[in-house]
Amino acid sequence: KALPRSAMELRCQCIGTHSKFIHPKFIHNVNLIPSGPHCKNVEVIATLTDGREVCLEPTAPWVKLVIKAILDK
Amino acid sequence: KALPRSAMELRCQCIGTHSKFIHPKFIHNVNLIPSGPHCKNVEVIATLTDGREVCLEPTAPWVKLVIKAILDK
């Protein structure tokens, strides 16, 4: 659900968010994009170990936990 | 301090970490890379609004706060 993007893209990257839990072991990296003039939404884009990119909901408790788990490991 | 990288780079990306506080308004995005076979360190790479990439220390309290601030905004 992530549109193609570059680091300096000037619009929202996500057209929806993936709602189901994704185990951190399947997450290759997570990109956090603050809201700003380019997009009113905070965007959280996970690249999975199989190469897929999925947008996650920044307010979802499991997303916050996964981010915390990555930082604390 | 971030080396050039692709999303699927197979080694550590950071050769050091930036220790001084960076205000979230200067942060364009933050990429969280869990530790794994490619790199024993958790890596946090911020792209700044001027295009520079800096590696941040995942255990630094201010880094955790900045990430929380981005998610909560």
Side-chain angles (χ1 to χ4, degrees):
Chain A
K1 289 184 186 167
L3 297 168
R5 68 203 158 83
S6 73
M8 290 292 162
E9 200 66 57
L10 293 175
R11 55 180 171 71
C12 294
Q13 304 305 302
C14 296
I15 52 175
T17 56
H18 180 89
S19 55
K20 279 185 219 145
F21 175 76
I22 298 170
H23 194 282
K25 76 179 171 188
F26 297 116
I27 296 179
H28 181 271
N29 68 59
V30 178
N31 196 16
L32 310 176
I33 308 174
S35 58
H38 70 291
C39 178
K40 70 174 171 51
N41 309 319
V42 178
E43 299 189 298
V44 177
I45 305 174
T47 303
L48 307 186
T49 48
D50 65 5
R52 277 184 302 159
E53 289 191 320
V54 291
C55 288
L56 306 181
E57 174 52 50
T59 59
W62 75 267
V63 173
K64 289 177 194 275
L65 282 173
V66 163
I67 289 168
K68 190 172 172 345
I70 290 171
L71 288 173
D72 290 348
K73 210 169 61 173
Chain B
K1 290 184 186 168
L3 298 168
R5 69 204 157 84
S6 73
M8 291 290 161
E9 199 66 55
L10 293 175
R11 55 180 172 72
C12 294
Q13 304 304 303
C14 296
I15 53 174
T17 56
H18 180 89
S19 54
K20 279 185 219 143
F21 175 76
I22 298 169
H23 194 282
K25 76 179 171 189
F26 297 117
I27 295 179
H28 181 272
N29 68 59
V30 178
N31 196 15
L32 310 177
I33 308 173
S35 58
H38 69 289
C39 178
K40 69 173 172 52
N41 309 319
V42 178
E43 300 189 298
V44 177
I45 304 174
T47 303
L48 307 186
T49 48
D50 65 5
R52 277 184 302 159
E53 289 190 319
V54 290
C55 289
L56 307 181
E57 174 52 50
T59 60
W62 75 267
V63 172
K64 289 175 193 276
L65 282 173
V66 163
I67 289 168
K68 191 172 169 351
I70 290 171
L71 288 174
D72 290 348
K73 209 170 63 175

